[in-house]
Amino acid sequence: MEIDLTPKVAKKVYGSEGGSYYSWCPNELPMLKNGNIGAAKLSLNKNGFALPRYSDSSKVAYVLQGQGVAGIVLPEKEEKVIEIKEGDTIALPFGVVTWWYNKEDTELTVLFLGDTSKGHKAGQFTDFFLTGTNGIFNGFSTEFVSRAWDLPEDVVQNLVSKQSGNGIVQLSASHKMPEPKKEHREGMALNCLEAPLDVDIKDGGRVVVLNTKNLPLVGEVGLGADLVRIDGKSMCSPGFSCDSALQVTYILRGSGRVQVVGVNGKRVLETTLRAGDLFIVPRFFVVSKIADNDGMHWFSIISTPDPLFTHLAGRTSVWKALSSEVLEAAFNVPKDAEKQFRSKRTSDAIFFPPN
């Protein structure tokens, strides 16, 4: 049965005056379930506070806009409080407890992409809240909470009764939250907008790749990621993941066209991509994109921490590695046609600026 690869936007799951939580549904985007990938967004208004929680899935978080503060507690470690801003990427392994806070006027929005293969629901994150109306305090009886935390029952009842929020609350402007510490960012976050470029092609595009070298925690998460920004009318070379990885792509800004070719040379997707769209390229399928006039930026995760790609056009193309005789036979063309084919794109790599 063919799987619908049509890009989708996230839908609101819950929210309050403090902000909202959005998710992509595997029923609407079947490749989420098929590939065991989860995708969600958290948007916090001023003084919005996303209550402490942990998830059944390892994730990569990317700050889409705004700035704020994140609290991260790795298993059996002390809390790390870090300042976050647009472009920051954070690897969140299994068992990590996080909270998120926005003290600024601008909305803080964080994208989460991750692996749900060990989760409760294929293609969907399940969060477990430490506090709130759906938190663990409300699940245990007063007796158990009293015994576990060595508290009088009246104190326990007061703690539980005060928890009226669900997932996201809005704090008073006078409430003081922990101040971020610069040293806590070390090894926890990498800003893709400030990091050294792995690819930089004039009038073509730029790439920053996240892997175990520049953000070691992605090794624990089991995912790689990249930020790609291509200029107006530029083309991203047709290519595929050659290590059986899935590629999950969120369009940050701009727009453009995409084509995906699958089994038996069949084009399985041809559509226009816009900011807010999420789409998934199946294993070994070939994908290529062409940006509209204003260019196109996207953030992707790849289901391996150190991904490898094979490109089918440009200087690094696999065609350049094949011998002339093989190309002549494969294309069933004379030598002069093969030479013309091989002579093109000898200096361009990955991105092709408009002529």
Side-chain angles (χ1 to χ4, degrees), residues 33-342:
K33 185 175 182 178
N34 183 274
N36 269 311
I37 296 294
K41 282 196 302 186
L42 172 69
S43 293
L44 295 178
N45 301 324
K46 185 173 184 179
N47 298 319
F49 176 46
L51 296 173
R53 83 246 354 241
Y54 62 93
S55 176
D56 65 350
S57 305
S58 56
K59 306 174 185 176
V60 171
Y62 181 81
V63 182
L64 297 174
Q65 69 171 39
Q67 59 185 52
V69 179
I72 302 169
V73 183
L74 294 168
E76 300 183 356
K77 304 283 186 180
E78 294 183 352
E79 178 186 54
K80 303 259 189 184
V81 181
I82 64 173
E83 185 176 17
I84 57 174
K85 62 180 180 179
E86 181 180 350
D88 275 347
T89 306
I90 307 165
L92 303 173
F94 280 112
V96 65
V97 173
T98 64
W99 55 262
W100 311 81
Y101 176 63
N102 181 20
K103 61 182 178 180
E104 307 295 336
D105 292 328
T106 304
E107 188 178 73
L108 171 67
T109 306
V110 184
L111 173 72
F112 300 96
L113 301 173
D115 175 16
T116 66
S117 60
K118 297 181 181 178
H120 286 268
K121 301 175 183 177
Q124 197 167 349
F125 299 135
T126 299
D127 288 336
F128 295 83
F129 295 88
L130 302 190
T131 63
T133 57
N134 56 346
I136 60 170
F137 269 85
N138 280 284
F140 283 110
S141 67
T142 302
E143 176 195 1
F144 270 60
V145 175
S146 178
R147 287 285 300 276
W149 283 274
D150 192 22
L151 293 170
E153 290 199 8
D154 61 329
V155 173
V156 172
Q157 290 172 349
N158 184 52
L159 282 173
V160 173
S161 66
K162 292 289 187 181
Q163 295 178 46
S164 57
N166 180 1
I168 300 171
V169 298
Q170 189 172 46
L171 303 179
S172 68
S174 61
H175 186 87
K176 283 191 68 68
M177 292 292 282
E179 290 295 324
K181 296 182 179 179
K182 191 173 182 179
E183 62 269 23
H184 283 183
R185 275 184 64 93
E186 186 74 27
M188 295 298 299
L190 178 74
N191 191 280
C192 292
L193 298 177
E194 299 172 354
L197 296 172
D198 293 283
V199 177
D200 185 7
I201 297 175
K202 181 177 172 56
D203 298 324
R206 293 150 297 284
V207 181
V208 172
V209 178
L210 277 83
N211 51 37
T212 54
K213 294 179 181 178
N214 54 17
L215 192 60
L217 267 180
V218 300
E220 293 186 37
V221 173
L223 301 168
D226 58 27
L227 173 68
V228 181
R229 294 167 284 174
I230 61 174
D231 298 324
K233 297 298 183 181
S234 180
M235 181 182 194
C236 184
S237 168
F240 65 92
S241 170
C242 56
D243 50 6
S244 77
L246 288 165
Q247 187 174 0
V248 186
T249 298
Y250 177 84
I251 305 302
L252 299 169
R253 55 176 54 89
S255 61
R257 292 176 292 144
V258 62
Q259 291 186 358
V260 178
V261 176
V263 179
N264 294 323
K266 182 179 179 181
R267 189 185 310 152
V268 293
L269 179 66
E270 181 174 15
T271 191
T272 298
L273 299 170
R274 298 179 178 85
D277 282 345
L278 183 87
F279 77 103
I280 302 174
V281 179
R283 291 178 175 89
F284 301 111
F285 283 36
V286 179
V287 60
S288 182
K289 310 177 191 76
I290 299 178
D292 289 338
N293 291 331
D294 294 331
M296 185 165 59
H297 299 181
W298 63 84
F299 180 80
S300 298
I301 65 163
I302 303 95
S303 57
T304 178
D306 293 294
L308 293 172
F309 288 95
T310 293
H311 293 278
L312 300 179
R315 177 172 48 82
T316 58
S317 165
V318 65
W319 297 116
K320 304 295 185 187
L322 292 171
S323 62
S324 301
E325 295 82 0
V326 169
L327 289 184
E328 289 174 33
F331 282 119
N332 190 26
V333 294
K335 186 177 289 289
D336 59 344
E338 183 277 330
K339 284 185 176 179
Q340 183 181 24
F341 176 80
R342 186 184 290 275

Side-chain angles (χ1 to χ4, degrees), residues 15-30:
S16 69
E17 291 183 354
S20 300
Y21 181 84
Y22 302 83
S23 179
W24 279 266
C25 176
N27 292 333
E28 295 184 358
L29 190 56

